[in-house]
């Protein structure tokens, strides 16, 4: 029978569902915020990623049907940053563009929106990407000051204007800074991560070890030239940037010296075992398989099933991967052991280790996820082997595309067939996607 | 254990076994983790830990063992019960004492144990999660270091004053030194609970620990473990001198401490506090003054005098009728937090409220707070808007006070639907009507509602005076009709009076009680009849108050006589708060039902006031005038003229201040006893709770029944008979009261 001839691992292709492929993906170097990109604007980074994608793929500037970008902290002048970036990148001005936001899984949302559009037959080729620029964030006047200033516009007489100006008090001048804190709970993410690590009994040492692993693996990947998604960036007035600059393998001793950053004095999350504020942008070209082949591309991977999940933003803020992983595997009919390449977003070492423990706990699966048993913990020898957000950096809106592109590259390099991306996000949300290697 | 003992003595082998079991601690145990002993406390027979005799005995034994073990360098003290460190001393232990000396001895034993803790050469860290109250707090502050969780359940406090007692195990001596005189007095004199964050700011605890969410164990379990881990680190830190025991003070605190060290500053504080206490207690509550006395003794004459004053005053207070009354109320309150009608068949998941007035909106607020879907219906948009605003404001005030976040406020509010029609009533599990007190209107809404609600839905009527059976007469299913009498303001007043008719089913009652308890109410269940229990007790007292006014006593004097007796609000102010129209309506209805017994004051006086628009606080004028500032209020100048036209000549034989007070109180008490006699009340406990929590009957008297027990039924009857001769049947003692008067051994409470 023909069955004997089937490969060991079957393709995840489903009848009646379009095959959608990742043609290629690129990103700017991820830089610690306040460094070389400091004087740019978000759309500059996004534009650079788009240009890089154009150069890398050589796609005609009008062959793209739609552009979608993800971002978290919006520059108010360029709230639809996708459009501003696309115009400057040289794409045809006839290509519509929109921007999405879903915290740290914003570019995942951009990609899955693209997948949806292609699957629905509305588009054949979509560029998805993400950008985050933390070197400059919108700092606002206080609400009272804003109210006064808005009233000032409407004041007709000089007297009315003076009266309004006279109502300003020194306290009104205090600015409002955006915080990496949950609006609903007012808790900062680092604080939540520290509590999560404590809840799962993850020690400071484990976290430091994991962070050190991330930096060491990233360093090796950088040195070996594996981070081929990075495109160089000639920053106006500055040097060409061609490498991520936050990779800094330290020693356990050095890391142990740091004081806890959020929960004082007994917390375990420190600056060294957390991801840091990063500037960067990413972009991927997604097509229907037919279209890619028609244009003469050799796609890198199939984008298969994906899920979004959400949980309690207070106590389960960062557990998205634990909830999303079993769900997406179930959709694909796969088991954890079938996955060759894992790329999980590393918000905090404590968050990753907590998720690994949650996924390895039958009690957690039964008590909180309503499942009959645990999905299992991904083996570390398949896990984030080229570094992760802790070391490479984490521009909130851009990380998702980096994860997907990295899975595609690793599948090729390591000869695997299935990859899994998972990430947590503010709001207690999460995402996972299964990626299948394109046949060589 | 007697049986075991006799067995043990007859057989040597079993005797050995017996010895072993007696030395197995049941309340306290400890585990050695490296060089730290972790002492865990958990009372196996209760949801909370109390410092019972058994607990104290085991604690002493465990401490001795730990102190004697040279491998142990420091100690962590923690409770393994979620939500409770130590809730206080065992009240029953104090109640069991027969004399002042016995209680003083108890106090001294407690002092000794905690002195040993304080002087321990091995640092002891108290790890606090949940309630840390009374003796529990005194234990904690005797330790060298305190770590507490930020859990909402964590509360530190000295509630002894609310039981007419004082912190009798060193609290009056240690607290002022630890947190300063003003804070210590605030805690000890109000008895209020201090939350973790505040405790840290006050210097009551050294370090806070976050509560944890889901992990590899339940959040509660893992939070306690985490607390223990942090506390162990602290204990080691103290031994290694890495952790300082003295708190870091900023400049302000240093200046404050310095200023406080002057005796004239201290004296100033004492006199200010004493004045404030006297003003608030009218000298009726002995405990607060004793607390000040103990603090003063310690500060001025040193610790020996301080501890002695504390133990002696503790002994004295425990024997006072005030303390016994307050302890009685505590027990009563605990009893009224239980549902003696069992678990209802169906839990109320959707509640509909008719009428968005003060009461209706108040009920809505306390319901949405418990995440119950609540429909608030009125007939006009204006009334509905006002009601919804009241709920919002009630919750937003909590946000301002930071007891809930704005997000929690919004999320709570999402349970509320305001509407003008009956949509959604088909899903209601219970409907509470809070419409105008008019039988015809109540019948109308009852019929309308019964046409739209499902068959198992309970119909509850919030009324202060109408008999429930009269309302139920219009019902197709009287077994589902019950009365739920809330008190205004609903979010502040603790009492809920539930009224059952002969036809009300047990499940309907169970359901109403369950909802009330969920809303955080203290619930009494009484029989049906005009005025039920609370209104019926209040009406004769108000009638008497009107007569007193007619006799020429002005409202301010009347108020001071009632508050001087211990009511939190004076009779005239109470009537203004209630609404003069409501009071008149109530007096008229009950007068019809009960006849001349409810007479006394002339009802026409109230009616004239209503006719002139003096409806009390809500209309701006009543006995008093209400301007934007609530205090100080002036007597309504137009009142004099009205009173003049209903003037009565006082009889000097029964018109002294004290006579007036007893005229007011005896009518209240007699009616309460009559309610028990007639079976409106099931038991005296609910009678006392209803009177204190619903009507403000003086708490230190413990309620009308406790009052009769303590005052003496015979003495009360004697007073009433004097009044009866002058005024007639309004003062005729009821049979049950006469029975108690005849036989002094008969008491309402044992």
């Amino acid at each position: 029978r023909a069955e004997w001839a089937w490969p060991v691992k079957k393709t995840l292709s489903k009848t009646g569902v379009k095959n959608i492929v990742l043609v290629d993906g690129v990103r700017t170097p991820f830089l610690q915020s306040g460094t070389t990109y400091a004087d740019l604007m978000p759309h500059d980074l996004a534009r650079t990623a788009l240009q890089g994608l154009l150069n890398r793929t050589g796609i005609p500037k009008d062959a793209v049907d739609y552009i979608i970008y993800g971002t978290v902290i919006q520059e108010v002048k360029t709230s639809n940053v996708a459009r501003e970036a696309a115009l400057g990148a040289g794409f045809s001005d006839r290509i519509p563009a929109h921007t999405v936001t879903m915290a740290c899984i914003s570019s995942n949302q951009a990609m899955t929106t693209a997948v949806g559009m292609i699957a629905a037959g509305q588009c054949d080729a979509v560029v998805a990407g993400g950008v985050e620029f933390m070197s400059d964030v919108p700092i606002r006047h206080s609400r009272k000051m804003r109210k006064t200033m808005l009233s000032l516009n409407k004041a007709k007489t000089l007297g009315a204007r003076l009266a309004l100006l006279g109502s300003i008090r020194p306290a009104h001048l205090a600015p409002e800074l955006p915080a990496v804190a949950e609006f609903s709970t007012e808790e900062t993410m680092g604080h939540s991560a520290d509590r999560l690590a404590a809840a799962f009994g993850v020690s400071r040492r484990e976290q430091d070890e994991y962070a050190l692993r991330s930096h060491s693996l990233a360093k090796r990947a950088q040195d070996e030239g594996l981070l081929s998604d990075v495109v160089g960036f000639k920053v106006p007035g500055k040097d060409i940037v061609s490498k991520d600059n936050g990779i800094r393998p330290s020693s356990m001793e050095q890391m142990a010296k740091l004081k806890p950053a959020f929960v004082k004095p007994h917390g375990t999350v420190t600056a060294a075992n957390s991801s840091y504020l990063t500037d960067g942008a990413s972009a991927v070209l997604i097509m229907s398989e037919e279209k890619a082949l028609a244009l003469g591309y050799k796609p890198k991977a199939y984008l298969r099933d994906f899920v979004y999940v959400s949980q309690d933003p207070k106590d389960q803020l960062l557990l998205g991967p634990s909830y999303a992983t079993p769900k997406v595997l179930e959709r694909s009919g796969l088991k954890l052991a079938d996955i060759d390449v894992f790329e999980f977003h590393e918000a905090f070492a404590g968050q990753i280790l907590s998720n690994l423990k949650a996924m390895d706990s039958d009690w957690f699966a039964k008590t909180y996820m309503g499942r009959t048993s645990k999905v299992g913990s991904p083996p570390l020898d398949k896990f984030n082997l080229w570094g992760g957000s802790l070391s490479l950096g984490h521009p909130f809106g851009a990380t998702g595309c980096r994860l997907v592109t990295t899975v595609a590259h690793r599948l090729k390099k390591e000869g695997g067939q299935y990859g899994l991306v998972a990430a947590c996000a503010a709001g207690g949300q999460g995402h996972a996607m299964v990626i299948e290697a394109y046949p060589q | 254990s007697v049986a075991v003992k006799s067995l043990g003595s007859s057989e040597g082998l079993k005797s050995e076994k017996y010895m072993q079991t007696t030395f197995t601690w049941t309340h306290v145990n400890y585990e050695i983790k490296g060089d730290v002993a972790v002492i865990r406390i958990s009372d196996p027979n209760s949801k909370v830990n109390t410092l019972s005799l058994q607990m104290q005995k085991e604690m002493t034994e465990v401490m001795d063992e730990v102190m004697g073990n040279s491998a142990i360098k420091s100690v962590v003290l923690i409770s393994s019960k979620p939500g409770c460190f130590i809730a206080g001393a065992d009240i029953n232990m104090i109640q069991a004492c027969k004399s002042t000396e016995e209680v003083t001895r108890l106090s001294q034993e407690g002092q000794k144990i905690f002195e040993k803790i304080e002087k321990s050469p091995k640092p002891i860290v108290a790890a606090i999660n949940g309630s840390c109250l009374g003796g529990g707090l005194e234990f904690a502050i005797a330790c060298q270091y305190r770590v507490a969780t930020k859990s909402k359940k964590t509360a530190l406090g000295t509630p002894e004053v609310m039981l007419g007692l004082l912190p009798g195990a060193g609290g009056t001596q240690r607290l002022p030194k630890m947190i300063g005189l003003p804070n210590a007095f605030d805690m000890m004199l109000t008895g209020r609970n201090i939350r973790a964050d505040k405790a840290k700011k006050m210097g009551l605890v050294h370090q806070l620990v976050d509560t944890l969410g889901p992990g590899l164990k339940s959040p509660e379990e893992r939070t306690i473990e985490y607390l223990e881990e942090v506390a162990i680190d602290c204990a080691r830190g103290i031994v290694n001198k890495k952790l300082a025991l003295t708190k870091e003070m900023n400049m302000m605190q240093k200046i404050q401490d310095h200023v406080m060290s002057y005796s004239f500053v201290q004296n100033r504080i004492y006199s200010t506090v004493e004045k404030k206490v006297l003003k608030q207690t009218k000298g009726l509550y002995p405990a607060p003054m004793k607390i000040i006395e103990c603090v003063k003794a310690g500060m001025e004459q040193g610790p020996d005098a301080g501890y002695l004053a504390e133990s002696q005053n503790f002994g004295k207070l425990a024997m006072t009728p005030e303390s016994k009354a307050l302890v009685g109320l505590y027990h009563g309150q605990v009893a009224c937090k239980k549902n003696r009608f069992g678990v209802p068949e169906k839990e109320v998941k959707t509640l509909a409220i008719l009428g968005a007035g003060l009461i209706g909106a108040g009920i809505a607020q306390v319901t949405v707070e418990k995440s119950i879907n609540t429909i608030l219906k009125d007939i006009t948009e204006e009334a509905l808007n006002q009601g919804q605003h009241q709920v919002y404001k009630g919750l937003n005030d909590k946000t301002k006070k930071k007891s809930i976040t704005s997000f929690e406020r919004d999320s709570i509010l999402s349970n509320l639907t305001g509407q003008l029609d009956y949509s959604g009533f088909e899903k209601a599990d219970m409907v509470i009507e809070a419409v105008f007190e008019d039988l015809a209107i109540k019948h109308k809404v009852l019929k309308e509602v019964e046409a739209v609600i499902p068959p198992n839905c309970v119909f509850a009527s919030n009324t202060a005076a109408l008999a429930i059976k009269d309302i139920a007469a219009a019902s197709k299913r009287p077994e589902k009709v019950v009365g739920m009498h809330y008190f205004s303001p609903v979010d502040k007043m603790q009492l809920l009076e539930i009224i059952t008719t002969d036809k009300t089913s047990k499940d309907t009652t169970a359901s109403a009680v369950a909802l009330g308890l969920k809303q955080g109410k203290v619930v009494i269940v009484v029989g049906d009849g005009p005025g039920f229990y609370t209104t019926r007790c209040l009406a004769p007292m108000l009638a008497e108050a009107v007569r007193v006014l007619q006799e020429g006593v002005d409202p301010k004097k009347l108020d001071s006589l009632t508050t001087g007796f211990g009511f939190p609000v004076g009779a005239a102010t109470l009537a203004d708060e209630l609404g003069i129209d409501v009071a008149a309506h109530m007096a008229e209805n009950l007068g019809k039902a009960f006849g001349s017994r409810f007479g006394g004051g002339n009802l026409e006086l109230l009616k004239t006031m209503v006719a002139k628009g003096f409806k009390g606080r809500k209309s701006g004028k009543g006995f008093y005038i209400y301007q934007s500032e609530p205090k100080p209020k002036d007597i309504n100048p137009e009142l004099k003229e009205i009173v003049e036209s209903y003037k009565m000549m006082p009889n000097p034989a029964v018109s002294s201040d004290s006579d007036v007070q007893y005229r007011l109180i005896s009518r209240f008490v007699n009616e309460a006893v009559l309610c028990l006699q007639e079976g409106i009340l099931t038991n005296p406990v609910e009678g006392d709770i209803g009177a204190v929590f619903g009507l403000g009957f003086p708490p230190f008297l413990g309620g009308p029944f406790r009052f009769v027990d303590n005052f003496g039924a015979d003495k009360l009857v004697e007073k009433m008979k004097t009044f009866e001769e002058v005024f007639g049947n309004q003062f005729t003692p009821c049979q049950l009261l006469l029975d108690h008067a005849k036989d002094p051994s008969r008491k309402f409470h044992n």
Side-chain angles (χ1 to χ4, degrees), chain B residues 646-660:
Chain B
Y646 297 103
K647 197 177 168 183
M648 287 165 93
M649 283 308 289
N651 180 335
V654 287
S655 298
S656 72
D657 284 358
S658 161
D659 285 333
V660 170

Side-chain angles (χ1 to χ4, degrees), chain A residues 183-186 191 194-196 198-201 263-267 315-316 319 357-358 361 363-364 368, chain B residues 147 150 207-219 222 226 229-230 233 243 405-408 410:
Chain A
F183 180 73
S184 61
T185 63
E186 297 173 359
H191 195 277
D194 205 313
R195 288 196 304 116
L196 184 71
F200 281 93
V263 174
K264 292 160 189 172
H266 51 262
D315 286 332
Q316 304 196 39
L319 284 178
K357 291 196 181 196
S361 162
W363 185 82
F364 189 87
Y368 291 100
Chain B
V147 187
K150 292 182 194 166
Q207 223 182 97
L208 296 181
V209 171
D210 287 293
T211 55
L212 302 180
L216 298 178
K217 290 175 181 167
S218 80
R222 178 61 196 142
Y226 181 50
E229 289 163 16
V230 173
D233 280 350
L243 203 60
T405 66
S406 63
F407 183 80
E408 283 167 328
D410 297 345

